[in-house]
Amino acid sequence: MIDLRQLRYFVAIVEQGSLSRAGNFLHVAQPALSRHVLNMEADLGATLLFRTPSGVEPTEAGRILLRHARIMLDQLTVAEEEIRGHLNDPEGEVRLGVPGTIGQILAVPLITAVHLRYPKIKLRIAEAMSGFILEWLRDERIDLAVLYGQAAEHGIHTEQLLAEGLQFFGPADGLRSEQFPPPGSDLSFGRVAELPLILPDKGHGLRDLLDQHAKAAAVELNTIIDVDSYSNIKALVAEGLGYSVLPRNAITAEVGEGRLRSWTISGPQVVRHIYLAHSTNRPMTNAVSVVLALARETLRDLARTGRWIGAQVIDR
């Protein structure tokens, strides 16, 4: 019969990707881990791991066991917290995934708030594009996520918190002979679309949003350079190679320093929404629950106090 220790070992092996790395992580000898895997395979009558030159990967049976093992181990963690009276003093590790642009704004105040209110909780923040973060949430590699879009799928709950307007911007000295209204005034989306643009590549959340607006307006984006890094986009625009569209918060410093000029997009405005998400496929530990509440509070506070420039709270 498979026991909880074997389940913990198996989850670690799959997550680490090899027996040797799992052994180092668990402080268990690799031969002992191999014996545990062989015993589990014998008990279940199925091969659980596929050996590759770079390590191991779960077979179909292994993925089934992994899914159930995570649920059982999570439920055990919930029980342990309740038994030890951690409802008022939660502890444990909480994993949060955020887009890099949000991580720059959210990470420090949220980590600080968690440390001050719940010193026994270890908050780990991982940054990536929204698509990767959603995949991590599906695979239960993270507990919570901040996303730029709603995950309308079974097993994931999303809550809309903020709206953030995007701005068109260009180099301080202009580009060629284009004529614009004074900086800070409105510029139509149709006019923005026809100008030479430096944008993230297709598949990036911001680019997909702009493509949706272009399709709705029956226009095509005149994209001349694709680059996913916001800092590189701003540098290329400042060099006079084109124009771009980014959140107001991302360009505030450069506009204030006179290196860039910006305009508000109108007809229609381009707004993206920020969501807080978590999985509903497994029980939520008390540590995850309090960090979820604190992340919600911190995000709204950043917008209300103006520390997240250009973001507005969605009141429901």
Side-chain angles (χ1 to χ4, degrees):
M1 179 180 294
I2 296 175
D3 57 36
L4 288 173
R5 180 178 61 171
Q6 289 176 321
L7 291 179
R8 289 193 180 98
Y9 287 175
F10 181 73
V11 171
I13 291 168
V14 174
E15 290 183 345
Q16 295 296 318
S18 79
L19 289 164
S20 60
R21 287 195 292 270
N24 292 332
F25 176 78
L26 296 167
H27 303 292
V28 176
Q30 181 176 336
L33 291 180
S34 296
R35 285 196 299 273
H36 282 294
V37 172
L38 291 173
N39 289 338
M40 285 189 288
E41 290 178 334
D43 286 337
L44 296 172
T47 301
L48 300 174
L49 295 174
F50 175 74
R51 274 71 174 176
T52 70
S54 59
V56 295
E57 295 179 0
T59 62
E60 183 176 359
R63 288 193 294 271
I64 294 172
L65 178 62
L66 178 66
R67 184 175 70 252
H68 288 284
R70 282 172 168 162
I71 292 172
M72 286 185 281
L73 293 174
D74 284 340
Q75 289 175 328
L76 178 61
T77 300
V78 172
E80 289 173 346
E81 285 189 353
E82 291 180 356
I83 292 170
R84 293 171 183 168
H86 287 176
L87 292 177
N88 295 321
D89 189 19
E91 67 177 88
E93 181 178 282
V94 178
R95 302 158 297 176
L96 170 67
V98 298
T101 49
I102 294 180
Q104 296 172 8
I105 307 169
L106 176 65
V108 171
L110 181 57
I111 291 172
T112 301
V114 170
H115 178 72
L116 292 176
R117 295 194 195 183
Y118 308 108
K120 293 183 180 179
I121 292 178
K122 179 181 289 185
L123 176 61
R124 297 187 181 276
I125 295 181
E127 297 183 359
M129 291 170 55
S130 280
F132 290 120
I133 294 169
L134 182 57
E135 184 178 338
W136 292 347
L137 194 59
R138 290 192 193 106
D139 294 341
E140 299 181 358
R141 294 169 60 187
I142 56 176
D143 304 294
L144 304 171
V146 180
L147 303 171
Y148 276 126
Q150 185 173 15
E153 56 186 79
H154 178 71
I156 294 179
H157 176 268
T158 53
E159 174 186 3
Q160 185 178 0
L161 295 180
L162 307 176
E164 180 181 38
L166 303 184
Q167 288 202 313
F168 173 79
F169 65 97
D173 297 330
L175 182 65
R176 295 189 291 275
S177 59
E178 284 90 1
Q179 299 297 314
F180 295 106
S185 55
D186 290 352
L187 201 64
S188 72
F189 183 83
R191 174 64 172 144
V192 168
E194 68 185 14
L195 292 164
L197 297 173
I198 302 170
L199 296 175
D201 201 357
K202 291 183 181 294
H204 189 286
L206 186 144
R207 175 63 177 274
D208 290 346
L209 177 62
L210 292 173
D211 283 338
Q212 291 169 13
H213 277 268
K215 183 177 180 180
V219 298
E220 290 189 10
L221 297 176
N222 181 23
T223 308
I224 59 171
I225 299 176
D226 296 319
V227 56
D228 288 341
S229 165
Y230 282 10
S231 60
N232 287 336
I233 288 175
K234 291 186 289 184
L236 291 168
V237 171
E239 290 292 328
L241 297 181
Y243 300 94
S244 192
V245 177
L246 286 179
R248 180 183 169 193
N249 188 77
I251 60 173
T252 294
E254 291 81 2
V255 171
E257 294 166 0
R259 290 186 284 150
L260 297 173
R261 300 181 300 166
S262 68
W263 293 262
T264 299
I265 303 173
S266 63
Q269 289 186 327
V270 182
V271 177
R272 64 179 178 180
H273 298 94
I274 290 85
Y275 296 81
L276 190 57
H278 64 88
S279 172
T280 59
N281 286 331
R282 57 177 177 169
M284 185 180 294
T285 68
N286 195 38
V288 173
S289 179
V290 297
V291 171
L292 173 66
L294 197 51
R296 181 187 300 114
E297 175 186 326
T298 303
L299 285 164
R300 287 173 171 164
D301 185 60
L302 287 170
R304 289 192 178 109
T305 60
R307 285 179 289 169
W308 188 333
I309 300 170
Q312 295 182 328
V313 176
I314 303 297
D315 292 317
R316 294 190 179 278

